[in-house]
Amino acid sequence: QVQLVESGGGLVQPGGTLRLSCAASGSIFDFDAMAWYRQAPGKQRELVATIGLFGSSLVDPVKGRFAISAVDSKNTVYLQMNSLKPEDTAVYYCNALDPRGGIVLPWGQGTQVTVSS
């Protein structure tokens, strides 16, 4: 079974930069689409960014600040996070998407991003 491993999170000051990585290991897949999600304390997991044959898209709160990219047939996905705000504080997760936009794989453990002075 393919496993998702997120990394790159940490503590950063407002305005800082992080690049998150998502590695899919355990098998070889050619995913049509991948996505980043985040879950802040006390809140539901929310979509942040997607990338696929259609291109890439970002939700409004991160548009202009974040960028998603992928290599190796989307077995490795990145989330470049610039101009970070305290509101970006969350655990960030990645996953593969089916044609309906539903997740394909079990959730990984995610990587914690904390934006604070």
Side-chain angles (χ1 to χ4, degrees):
Q1 182 177 329
V2 174
Q3 293 181 316
L4 298 169
V5 181
E6 299 93 345
S7 62
L11 175 63
V12 64
Q13 293 185 342
T17 298
L18 288 172
R19 190 171 85 147
L20 308 184
S21 298
C22 171
S25 62
S27 186
I28 299 177
F29 283 84
D30 185 8
F31 298 118
D32 289 334
M34 294 289 290
W36 281 97
Y37 297 79
R38 66 185 181 185
Q39 186 169 26
K43 297 183 179 180
Q44 293 186 325
R45 184 183 286 111
E46 64 178 1
L47 180 67
V48 176
T50 58
I51 185 168
L53 298 176
F54 54 87
S56 62
S57 64
L58 301 165
V59 297
D60 286 342
V62 306
K63 193 171 297 183
R65 300 187 297 117
F66 292 9
I68 185 172
S69 62
V71 296
D72 298 330
S73 298
K74 303 182 179 65
N75 289 317
T76 303
V77 186
Y78 303 98
L79 185 67
Q80 180 68 43
M81 309 168 67
N82 302 323
S83 302
L84 283 162
K85 303 176 180 180
E87 305 91 88
D88 297 319
T89 296
V91 179
Y92 284 71
Y93 303 87
C94 65
N95 216 310
L97 302 180
D98 63 27
R100 291 180 175 270
I103 62 167
V104 174
L105 302 171
W107 296 108
Q109 293 187 350
T111 185
Q112 175 72 51
V113 172
T114 303
V115 185
S116 176
S117 298

mmCIF file of all heavy atoms in Angstrom, residues 64-115:
data_model
loop_
_atom_site.group_PDB
_atom_site.id
_atom_site.type_symbol
_atom_site.label_atom_id
_atom_site.label_comp_id
_atom_site.label_asym_id
_atom_site.label_seq_id
_atom_site.Cartn_x
_atom_site.Cartn_y
_atom_site.Cartn_z
ATOM 1 N N GLY A 64 -1.661 33.632 -4.121
ATOM 2 C CA GLY A 64 -0.648 34.671 -4.187
ATOM 3 C C GLY A 64 0.484 34.480 -3.204
ATOM 4 O O GLY A 64 1.503 35.171 -3.305
ATOM 5 N N ARG A 65 0.326 33.562 -2.262
ATOM 6 C CA ARG A 65 1.358 33.304 -1.263
ATOM 7 C C ARG A 65 1.918 31.892 -1.343
ATOM 8 O O ARG A 65 3.094 31.685 -1.074
ATOM 9 C CB ARG A 65 0.813 33.551 0.151
ATOM 10 C CG ARG A 65 0.323 34.965 0.386
ATOM 11 C CD ARG A 65 -0.042 35.195 1.851
ATOM 12 N NE ARG A 65 -1.149 34.335 2.279
ATOM 13 C CZ ARG A 65 -1.061 33.404 3.229
ATOM 14 N NH1 ARG A 65 0.094 33.205 3.856
ATOM 15 N NH2 ARG A 65 -2.117 32.674 3.556
ATOM 16 N N PHE A 66 1.078 30.926 -1.692
ATOM 17 C CA PHE A 66 1.478 29.526 -1.773
ATOM 18 C C PHE A 66 1.558 29.088 -3.224
ATOM 19 O O PHE A 66 0.923 29.684 -4.104
ATOM 20 C CB PHE A 66 0.480 28.621 -1.054
ATOM 21 C CG PHE A 66 0.433 28.755 0.445
ATOM 22 C CD1 PHE A 66 1.100 29.761 1.110
ATOM 23 C CD2 PHE A 66 -0.306 27.844 1.188
ATOM 24 C CE1 PHE A 66 1.045 29.888 2.494
ATOM 25 C CE2 PHE A 66 -0.368 27.946 2.570
ATOM 26 C CZ PHE A 66 0.307 28.969 3.223
ATOM 27 N N ALA A 67 2.314 28.022 -3.472
ATOM 28 C CA ALA A 67 2.382 27.403 -4.782
ATOM 29 C C ALA A 67 2.573 25.905 -4.618
ATOM 30 O O ALA A 67 3.316 25.462 -3.740
ATOM 31 C CB ALA A 67 3.516 27.997 -5.608
ATOM 32 N N ILE A 68 1.886 25.139 -5.441
ATOM 33 C CA ILE A 68 1.989 23.692 -5.402
ATOM 34 C C ILE A 68 2.717 23.218 -6.652
ATOM 35 O O ILE A 68 2.519 23.757 -7.740
ATOM 36 C CB ILE A 68 0.598 23.033 -5.281
ATOM 37 C CG1 ILE A 68 0.725 21.516 -5.110
ATOM 38 C CG2 ILE A 68 -0.287 23.398 -6.464
ATOM 39 C CD1 ILE A 68 -0.599 20.826 -4.786
ATOM 40 N N SER A 69 3.566 22.220 -6.499
ATOM 41 C CA SER A 69 4.288 21.649 -7.622
ATOM 42 C C SER A 69 4.483 20.165 -7.378
ATOM 43 O O SER A 69 4.334 19.683 -6.256
ATOM 44 C CB SER A 69 5.633 22.353 -7.841
ATOM 45 O OG SER A 69 6.472 22.200 -6.706
ATOM 46 N N ALA A 70 4.822 19.434 -8.439
ATOM 47 C CA ALA A 70 4.969 17.994 -8.324
ATOM 48 C C ALA A 70 6.012 17.487 -9.302
ATOM 49 O O ALA A 70 6.216 18.063 -10.372
ATOM 50 C CB ALA A 70 3.640 17.289 -8.575
ATOM 51 N N VAL A 71 6.665 16.408 -8.917
ATOM 52 C CA VAL A 71 7.628 15.734 -9.771
ATOM 53 C C VAL A 71 7.383 14.235 -9.679
ATOM 54 O O VAL A 71 6.603 13.762 -8.846
ATOM 55 C CB VAL A 71 9.081 16.045 -9.375
ATOM 56 C CG1 VAL A 71 9.374 17.526 -9.561
ATOM 57 C CG2 VAL A 71 9.352 15.613 -7.943
ATOM 58 N N ASP A 72 8.056 13.481 -10.556
ATOM 59 C CA ASP A 72 7.984 12.016 -10.530
ATOM 60 C C ASP A 72 6.554 11.509 -10.598
ATOM 61 O O ASP A 72 6.115 10.703 -9.775
ATOM 62 C CB ASP A 72 8.680 11.457 -9.290
ATOM 63 C CG ASP A 72 10.148 11.782 -9.240
ATOM 64 O OD1 ASP A 72 10.762 11.919 -10.321
ATOM 65 O OD2 ASP A 72 10.692 11.899 -8.128
ATOM 66 N N SER A 73 5.835 11.981 -11.599
ATOM 67 C CA SER A 73 4.447 11.561 -11.805
ATOM 68 C C SER A 73 3.593 11.801 -10.569
ATOM 69 O O SER A 73 2.689 11.026 -10.261
ATOM 70 C CB SER A 73 4.384 10.096 -12.219
ATOM 71 O OG SER A 73 5.052 9.884 -13.436
ATOM 72 N N LYS A 74 3.912 12.875 -9.846
ATOM 73 C CA LYS A 74 3.182 13.309 -8.659
ATOM 74 C C LYS A 74 3.371 12.390 -7.464
ATOM 75 O O LYS A 74 2.586 12.432 -6.513
ATOM 76 C CB LYS A 74 1.707 13.520 -8.966
ATOM 77 C CG LYS A 74 1.461 14.525 -10.075
ATOM 78 C CD LYS A 74 -0.015 14.757 -10.322
ATOM 79 C CE LYS A 74 -0.225 15.781 -11.422
ATOM 80 N NZ LYS A 74 0.283 15.262 -12.719
ATOM 81 N N ASN A 75 4.413 11.570 -7.500
ATOM 82 C CA ASN A 75 4.767 10.798 -6.318
ATOM 83 C C ASN A 75 5.492 11.655 -5.289
ATOM 84 O O ASN A 75 5.645 11.235 -4.141
ATOM 85 C CB ASN A 75 5.619 9.593 -6.698
ATOM 86 C CG ASN A 75 4.832 8.525 -7.431
ATOM 87 O OD1 ASN A 75 3.707 8.214 -7.044
ATOM 88 N ND2 ASN A 75 5.412 7.969 -8.475
ATOM 89 N N THR A 76 5.948 12.819 -5.705
ATOM 90 C CA THR A 76 6.516 13.808 -4.807
ATOM 91 C C THR A 76 5.844 15.140 -5.091
ATOM 92 O O THR A 76 5.849 15.611 -6.224
ATOM 93 C CB THR A 76 8.032 13.942 -4.974
ATOM 94 O OG1 THR A 76 8.664 12.675 -4.769
ATOM 95 C CG2 THR A 76 8.590 14.933 -3.963
ATOM 96 N N VAL A 77 5.260 15.732 -4.075
ATOM 97 C CA VAL A 77 4.519 16.980 -4.214
ATOM 98 C C VAL A 77 5.046 17.986 -3.200
ATOM 99 O O VAL A 77 5.352 17.622 -2.062
ATOM 100 C CB VAL A 77 3.009 16.768 -4.010
ATOM 101 C CG1 VAL A 77 2.240 18.050 -4.295
ATOM 102 C CG2 VAL A 77 2.508 15.646 -4.908
ATOM 103 N N TYR A 78 5.132 19.246 -3.613
ATOM 104 C CA TYR A 78 5.638 20.302 -2.757
ATOM 105 C C TYR A 78 4.595 21.385 -2.568
ATOM 106 O O TYR A 78 3.741 21.619 -3.422
ATOM 107 C CB TYR A 78 6.901 20.924 -3.352
ATOM 108 C CG TYR A 78 8.011 19.929 -3.611
ATOM 109 C CD1 TYR A 78 8.205 19.393 -4.874
ATOM 110 C CD2 TYR A 78 8.854 19.532 -2.585
ATOM 111 C CE1 TYR A 78 9.219 18.479 -5.116
ATOM 112 C CE2 TYR A 78 9.870 18.619 -2.813
ATOM 113 C CZ TYR A 78 10.050 18.093 -4.082
ATOM 114 O OH TYR A 78 11.055 17.193 -4.313
ATOM 115 N N LEU A 79 4.679 22.051 -1.450
ATOM 116 C CA LEU A 79 3.878 23.233 -1.192
ATOM 117 C C LEU A 79 4.820 24.332 -0.738
ATOM 118 O O LEU A 79 5.340 24.288 0.380
ATOM 119 C CB LEU A 79 2.809 22.974 -0.139
ATOM 120 C CG LEU A 79 1.838 24.135 0.106
ATOM 121 C CD1 LEU A 79 0.965 24.370 -1.127
ATOM 122 C CD2 LEU A 79 0.966 23.867 1.325
ATOM 123 N N GLN A 80 5.062 25.289 -1.620
ATOM 124 C CA GLN A 80 5.873 26.451 -1.291
ATOM 125 C C GLN A 80 4.994 27.460 -0.581
ATOM 126 O O GLN A 80 3.976 27.881 -1.118
ATOM 127 C CB GLN A 80 6.477 27.060 -2.556
ATOM 128 C CG GLN A 80 7.352 28.276 -2.313
ATOM 129 C CD GLN A 80 8.621 27.942 -1.579
ATOM 130 O OE1 GLN A 80 9.274 26.946 -1.882
ATOM 131 N NE2 GLN A 80 8.977 28.757 -0.601
ATOM 132 N N MET A 81 5.389 27.856 0.616
ATOM 133 C CA MET A 81 4.585 28.718 1.458
ATOM 134 C C MET A 81 5.380 29.982 1.759
ATOM 135 O O MET A 81 6.366 29.947 2.489
ATOM 136 C CB MET A 81 4.205 28.005 2.754
ATOM 137 C CG MET A 81 3.579 26.627 2.524
ATOM 138 S SD MET A 81 3.457 25.636 4.035
ATOM 139 C CE MET A 81 2.261 26.586 4.961
ATOM 140 N N ASN A 82 4.947 31.087 1.191
ATOM 141 C CA ASN A 82 5.590 32.383 1.397
ATOM 142 C C ASN A 82 4.665 33.311 2.168
ATOM 143 O O ASN A 82 3.453 33.108 2.217
ATOM 144 C CB ASN A 82 5.953 33.023 0.058
ATOM 145 C CG ASN A 82 6.862 32.163 -0.785
ATOM 146 O OD1 ASN A 82 7.756 31.491 -0.270
ATOM 147 N ND2 ASN A 82 6.659 32.187 -2.092
ATOM 148 N N SER A 83 5.246 34.351 2.741
ATOM 149 C CA SER A 83 4.474 35.365 3.465
ATOM 150 C C SER A 83 3.507 34.726 4.453
ATOM 151 O O SER A 83 2.321 35.067 4.505
ATOM 152 C CB SER A 83 3.726 36.256 2.471
ATOM 153 O OG SER A 83 4.618 36.883 1.576
ATOM 154 N N LEU A 84 4.009 33.818 5.244
ATOM 155 C CA LEU A 84 3.160 33.060 6.154
ATOM 156 C C LEU A 84 2.517 33.956 7.205
ATOM 157 O O LEU A 84 3.116 34.917 7.684
ATOM 158 C CB LEU A 84 3.964 31.954 6.821
ATOM 159 C CG LEU A 84 4.220 30.739 5.927
ATOM 160 C CD1 LEU A 84 5.368 29.904 6.468
ATOM 161 C CD2 LEU A 84 2.953 29.898 5.819
ATOM 162 N N LYS A 85 1.288 33.619 7.538
ATOM 163 C CA LYS A 85 0.499 34.334 8.525
ATOM 164 C C LYS A 85 0.151 33.406 9.679
ATOM 165 O O LYS A 85 0.119 32.187 9.510
ATOM 166 C CB LYS A 85 -0.795 34.864 7.891
ATOM 167 C CG LYS A 85 -0.593 35.764 6.695
ATOM 168 C CD LYS A 85 -1.933 36.156 6.088
ATOM 169 C CE LYS A 85 -1.755 37.064 4.893
ATOM 170 N NZ LYS A 85 -3.063 37.442 4.290
ATOM 171 N N PRO A 86 -0.139 33.964 10.855
ATOM 172 C CA PRO A 86 -0.554 33.111 11.970
ATOM 173 C C PRO A 86 -1.761 32.239 11.626
ATOM 174 O O PRO A 86 -1.862 31.119 12.150
ATOM 175 C CB PRO A 86 -0.897 34.122 13.070
ATOM 176 C CG PRO A 86 -0.012 35.283 12.785
ATOM 177 C CD PRO A 86 0.048 35.362 11.278
ATOM 178 N N GLU A 87 -2.636 32.719 10.763
ATOM 179 C CA GLU A 87 -3.809 31.958 10.353
ATOM 180 C C GLU A 87 -3.450 30.708 9.553
ATOM 181 O O GLU A 87 -4.300 29.840 9.353
ATOM 182 C CB GLU A 87 -4.752 32.825 9.507
ATOM 183 C CG GLU A 87 -5.160 34.117 10.185
ATOM 184 C CD GLU A 87 -4.225 35.265 9.860
ATOM 185 O OE1 GLU A 87 -4.459 35.952 8.854
ATOM 186 O OE2 GLU A 87 -3.257 35.469 10.634
ATOM 187 N N ASP A 88 -2.214 30.610 9.086
ATOM 188 C CA ASP A 88 -1.762 29.431 8.363
ATOM 189 C C ASP A 88 -1.356 28.298 9.290
ATOM 190 O O ASP A 88 -1.056 27.197 8.823
ATOM 191 C CB ASP A 88 -0.577 29.777 7.454
ATOM 192 C CG ASP A 88 -0.937 30.783 6.379
ATOM 193 O OD1 ASP A 88 -2.034 30.677 5.797
ATOM 194 O OD2 ASP A 88 -0.108 31.681 6.120
ATOM 195 N N THR A 89 -1.324 28.560 10.579
ATOM 196 C CA THR A 89 -0.937 27.542 11.543
ATOM 197 C C THR A 89 -1.895 26.358 11.475
ATOM 198 O O THR A 89 -3.104 26.511 11.636
ATOM 199 C CB THR A 89 -0.917 28.120 12.961
ATOM 200 O OG1 THR A 89 0.093 29.129 13.051
ATOM 201 C CG2 THR A 89 -0.617 27.033 13.989
ATOM 202 N N ALA A 90 -1.349 25.183 11.232
ATOM 203 C CA ALA A 90 -2.158 23.978 11.071
ATOM 204 C C ALA A 90 -1.245 22.792 10.846
ATOM 205 O O ALA A 90 -0.045 22.945 10.615
ATOM 206 C CB ALA A 90 -3.122 24.121 9.891
ATOM 207 N N VAL A 91 -1.831 21.609 10.903
ATOM 208 C CA VAL A 91 -1.156 20.419 10.433
ATOM 209 C C VAL A 91 -1.487 20.268 8.955
ATOM 210 O O VAL A 91 -2.663 20.288 8.574
ATOM 211 C CB VAL A 91 -1.577 19.163 11.211
ATOM 212 C CG1 VAL A 91 -0.866 17.927 10.665
ATOM 213 C CG2 VAL A 91 -1.273 19.332 12.696
ATOM 214 N N TYR A 92 -0.477 20.129 8.137
ATOM 215 C CA TYR A 92 -0.655 20.053 6.695
ATOM 216 C C TYR A 92 -0.522 18.614 6.224
ATOM 217 O O TYR A 92 0.417 17.909 6.599
ATOM 218 C CB TYR A 92 0.363 20.939 5.983
ATOM 219 C CG TYR A 92 0.007 22.404 6.053
ATOM 220 C CD1 TYR A 92 0.115 23.098 7.249
ATOM 221 C CD2 TYR A 92 -0.455 23.087 4.928
ATOM 222 C CE1 TYR A 92 -0.233 24.434 7.327
ATOM 223 C CE2 TYR A 92 -0.801 24.420 4.991
ATOM 224 C CZ TYR A 92 -0.690 25.100 6.195
ATOM 225 O OH TYR A 92 -1.027 26.429 6.270
ATOM 226 N N TYR A 93 -1.463 18.187 5.382
ATOM 227 C CA TYR A 93 -1.521 16.834 4.856
ATOM 228 C C TYR A 93 -1.566 16.871 3.336
ATOM 229 O O TYR A 93 -2.062 17.821 2.742
ATOM 230 C CB TYR A 93 -2.777 16.100 5.330
ATOM 231 C CG TYR A 93 -2.960 16.010 6.822
ATOM 232 C CD1 TYR A 93 -3.590 17.034 7.525
ATOM 233 C CD2 TYR A 93 -2.535 14.891 7.521
ATOM 234 C CE1 TYR A 93 -3.785 16.947 8.891
ATOM 235 C CE2 TYR A 93 -2.726 14.798 8.884
ATOM 236 C CZ TYR A 93 -3.355 15.824 9.566
ATOM 237 O OH TYR A 93 -3.550 15.729 10.920
ATOM 238 N N CYS A 94 -1.099 15.802 2.711
ATOM 239 C CA CYS A 94 -1.260 15.644 1.275
ATOM 240 C C CYS A 94 -2.056 14.384 0.989
ATOM 241 O O CYS A 94 -2.218 13.519 1.855
ATOM 242 C CB CYS A 94 0.097 15.593 0.563
ATOM 243 S SG CYS A 94 1.111 14.152 0.973
ATOM 244 N N ASN A 95 -2.584 14.284 -0.220
ATOM 245 C CA ASN A 95 -3.268 13.081 -0.638
ATOM 246 C C ASN A 95 -3.438 13.097 -2.148
ATOM 247 O O ASN A 95 -3.331 14.148 -2.781
ATOM 248 C CB ASN A 95 -4.629 12.930 0.040
ATOM 249 C CG ASN A 95 -4.964 11.477 0.354
ATOM 250 O OD1 ASN A 95 -4.861 10.613 -0.522
ATOM 251 N ND2 ASN A 95 -5.356 11.207 1.595
ATOM 252 N N ALA A 96 -3.698 11.914 -2.704
ATOM 253 C CA ALA A 96 -4.045 11.792 -4.107
ATOM 254 C C ALA A 96 -5.547 11.942 -4.255
ATOM 255 O O ALA A 96 -6.308 11.603 -3.341
ATOM 256 C CB ALA A 96 -3.587 10.448 -4.658
ATOM 257 N N LEU A 97 -5.986 12.433 -5.395
ATOM 258 C CA LEU A 97 -7.395 12.666 -5.660
ATOM 259 C C LEU A 97 -7.893 11.770 -6.779
ATOM 260 O O LEU A 97 -7.179 11.524 -7.746
ATOM 261 C CB LEU A 97 -7.643 14.120 -6.039
ATOM 262 C CG LEU A 97 -7.218 15.186 -5.034
ATOM 263 C CD1 LEU A 97 -7.537 16.573 -5.580
ATOM 264 C CD2 LEU A 97 -7.885 14.971 -3.695
ATOM 265 N N ASP A 98 -9.130 11.303 -6.641
ATOM 266 C CA ASP A 98 -9.788 10.592 -7.716
ATOM 267 C C ASP A 98 -10.455 11.603 -8.646
ATOM 268 O O ASP A 98 -10.433 12.807 -8.372
ATOM 269 C CB ASP A 98 -10.774 9.554 -7.164
ATOM 270 C CG ASP A 98 -11.909 10.160 -6.361
ATOM 271 O OD1 ASP A 98 -12.271 11.334 -6.601
ATOM 272 O OD2 ASP A 98 -12.461 9.458 -5.492
ATOM 273 N N PRO A 99 -11.049 11.130 -9.756
ATOM 274 C CA PRO A 99 -11.650 12.093 -10.698
ATOM 275 C C PRO A 99 -12.745 12.962 -10.096
ATOM 276 O O PRO A 99 -13.045 14.030 -10.643
ATOM 277 C CB PRO A 99 -12.212 11.185 -11.799
ATOM 278 C CG PRO A 99 -11.321 9.986 -11.772
ATOM 279 C CD PRO A 99 -11.028 9.761 -10.312
ATOM 280 N N ARG A 100 -13.355 12.526 -8.993
ATOM 281 C CA ARG A 100 -14.388 13.314 -8.331
ATOM 282 C C ARG A 100 -13.825 14.244 -7.269
ATOM 283 O O ARG A 100 -14.581 14.974 -6.629
ATOM 284 C CB ARG A 100 -15.435 12.390 -7.707
ATOM 285 C CG ARG A 100 -16.284 11.641 -8.713
ATOM 286 C CD ARG A 100 -17.295 10.752 -8.014
ATOM 287 N NE ARG A 100 -18.200 10.124 -8.953
ATOM 288 C CZ ARG A 100 -19.347 10.645 -9.335
ATOM 289 N NH1 ARG A 100 -19.757 11.807 -8.835
ATOM 290 N NH2 ARG A 100 -20.107 10.012 -10.206
ATOM 291 N N GLY A 101 -12.533 14.212 -7.070
ATOM 292 C CA GLY A 101 -11.918 15.061 -6.075
ATOM 293 C C GLY A 101 -11.822 14.442 -4.703
ATOM 294 O O GLY A 101 -11.410 15.117 -3.746
ATOM 295 N N GLY A 102 -12.193 13.181 -4.572
ATOM 296 C CA GLY A 102 -12.103 12.491 -3.307
ATOM 297 C C GLY A 102 -10.709 11.948 -3.076
ATOM 298 O O GLY A 102 -9.980 11.651 -4.018
ATOM 299 N N ILE A 103 -10.327 11.814 -1.829
ATOM 300 C CA ILE A 103 -9.002 11.308 -1.508
ATOM 301 C C ILE A 103 -8.914 9.822 -1.830
ATOM 302 O O ILE A 103 -9.895 9.087 -1.776
ATOM 303 C CB ILE A 103 -8.634 11.551 -0.038
ATOM 304 C CG1 ILE A 103 -9.607 10.812 0.894
ATOM 305 C CG2 ILE A 103 -8.624 13.045 0.264
ATOM 306 C CD1 ILE A 103 -9.131 10.747 2.328
ATOM 307 N N VAL A 104 -7.727 9.386 -2.187
ATOM 308 C CA VAL A 104 -7.487 8.020 -2.610
ATOM 309 C C VAL A 104 -6.793 7.204 -1.525
ATOM 310 O O VAL A 104 -7.086 6.016 -1.354
ATOM 311 C CB VAL A 104 -6.645 8.004 -3.899
ATOM 312 C CG1 VAL A 104 -6.255 6.581 -4.282
ATOM 313 C CG2 VAL A 104 -7.401 8.666 -5.034
ATOM 314 N N LEU A 105 -5.889 7.822 -0.798
ATOM 315 C CA LEU A 105 -5.023 7.117 0.127
ATOM 316 C C LEU A 105 -5.357 7.433 1.575
ATOM 317 O O LEU A 105 -5.951 8.472 1.878
ATOM 318 C CB LEU A 105 -3.564 7.488 -0.150
ATOM 319 C CG LEU A 105 -3.061 7.206 -1.564
ATOM 320 C CD1 LEU A 105 -1.681 7.816 -1.761
ATOM 321 C CD2 LEU A 105 -3.013 5.706 -1.824
ATOM 322 N N PRO A 106 -4.972 6.528 2.494
ATOM 323 C CA PRO A 106 -5.113 6.879 3.911
ATOM 324 C C PRO A 106 -4.265 8.104 4.245
ATOM 325 O O PRO A 106 -3.194 8.308 3.665
ATOM 326 C CB PRO A 106 -4.578 5.629 4.632
ATOM 327 C CG PRO A 106 -4.696 4.517 3.632
ATOM 328 C CD PRO A 106 -4.443 5.163 2.301
ATOM 329 N N TRP A 107 -4.757 8.913 5.165
ATOM 330 C CA TRP A 107 -4.014 10.096 5.576
ATOM 331 C C TRP A 107 -2.700 9.724 6.239
ATOM 332 O O TRP A 107 -2.622 8.772 7.009
ATOM 333 C CB TRP A 107 -4.835 10.940 6.541
ATOM 334 C CG TRP A 107 -6.083 11.515 5.958
ATOM 335 C CD1 TRP A 107 -7.364 11.139 6.221
ATOM 336 C CD2 TRP A 107 -6.168 12.580 5.004
ATOM 337 N NE1 TRP A 107 -8.250 11.900 5.496
ATOM 338 C CE2 TRP A 107 -7.545 12.792 4.740
ATOM 339 C CE3 TRP A 107 -5.226 13.370 4.351
ATOM 340 C CZ2 TRP A 107 -7.997 13.758 3.852
ATOM 341 C CZ3 TRP A 107 -5.675 14.334 3.456
ATOM 342 C CH2 TRP A 107 -7.036 14.527 3.217
ATOM 343 N N GLY A 108 -1.671 10.500 5.934
ATOM 344 C CA GLY A 108 -0.424 10.382 6.657
ATOM 345 C C GLY A 108 -0.526 11.115 7.980
ATOM 346 O O GLY A 108 -1.601 11.550 8.400
ATOM 347 N N GLN A 109 0.603 11.267 8.661
ATOM 348 C CA GLN A 109 0.600 11.957 9.949
ATOM 349 C C GLN A 109 0.627 13.469 9.813
ATOM 350 O O GLN A 109 0.386 14.185 10.784
ATOM 351 C CB GLN A 109 1.781 11.491 10.795
ATOM 352 C CG GLN A 109 1.679 10.032 11.218
ATOM 353 C CD GLN A 109 2.763 9.631 12.192
ATOM 354 O OE1 GLN A 109 3.709 10.378 12.438
ATOM 355 N NE2 GLN A 109 2.625 8.441 12.760
ATOM 356 N N GLY A 110 0.913 13.962 8.620
ATOM 357 C CA GLY A 110 0.957 15.386 8.397
ATOM 358 C C GLY A 110 2.233 16.005 8.944
ATOM 359 O O GLY A 110 3.050 15.349 9.593
ATOM 360 N N THR A 111 2.390 17.297 8.681
ATOM 361 C CA THR A 111 3.527 18.041 9.206
ATOM 362 C C THR A 111 3.016 19.353 9.797
ATOM 363 O O THR A 111 2.201 20.043 9.196
ATOM 364 C CB THR A 111 4.589 18.283 8.109
ATOM 365 O OG1 THR A 111 5.738 18.910 8.675
ATOM 366 C CG2 THR A 111 4.045 19.133 6.969
ATOM 367 N N GLN A 112 3.479 19.671 10.988
ATOM 368 C CA GLN A 112 2.984 20.829 11.725
ATOM 369 C C GLN A 112 3.648 22.108 11.236
ATOM 370 O O GLN A 112 4.876 22.197 11.154
ATOM 371 C CB GLN A 112 3.254 20.656 13.223
ATOM 372 C CG GLN A 112 2.871 21.866 14.074
ATOM 373 C CD GLN A 112 1.385 22.043 14.198
ATOM 374 O OE1 GLN A 112 0.675 21.090 14.549
ATOM 375 N NE2 GLN A 112 0.893 23.246 13.913
ATOM 376 N N VAL A 113 2.831 23.087 10.931
ATOM 377 C CA VAL A 113 3.297 24.429 10.591
ATOM 378 C C VAL A 113 2.765 25.386 11.649
ATOM 379 O O VAL A 113 1.556 25.469 11.861
ATOM 380 C CB VAL A 113 2.819 24.865 9.197
ATOM 381 C CG1 VAL A 113 3.148 26.338 8.948
ATOM 382 C CG2 VAL A 113 3.444 23.980 8.131
ATOM 383 N N THR A 114 3.664 26.083 12.303
ATOM 384 C CA THR A 114 3.287 27.059 13.314
ATOM 385 C C THR A 114 3.876 28.406 12.948
ATOM 386 O O THR A 114 5.094 28.531 12.804
ATOM 387 C CB THR A 114 3.775 26.637 14.707
ATOM 388 O OG1 THR A 114 3.256 25.347 15.040
ATOM 389 C CG2 THR A 114 3.328 27.646 15.757
ATOM 390 N N VAL A 115 3.019 29.392 12.794
ATOM 391 C CA VAL A 115 3.436 30.744 12.432
ATOM 392 C C VAL A 115 3.158 31.645 13.623
ATOM 393 O O VAL A 115 2.009 31.915 13.957
ATOM 394 C CB VAL A 115 2.708 31.254 11.185
ATOM 395 C CG1 VAL A 115 3.249 32.616 10.776
ATOM 396 C CG2 VAL A 115 2.843 30.247 10.048
#
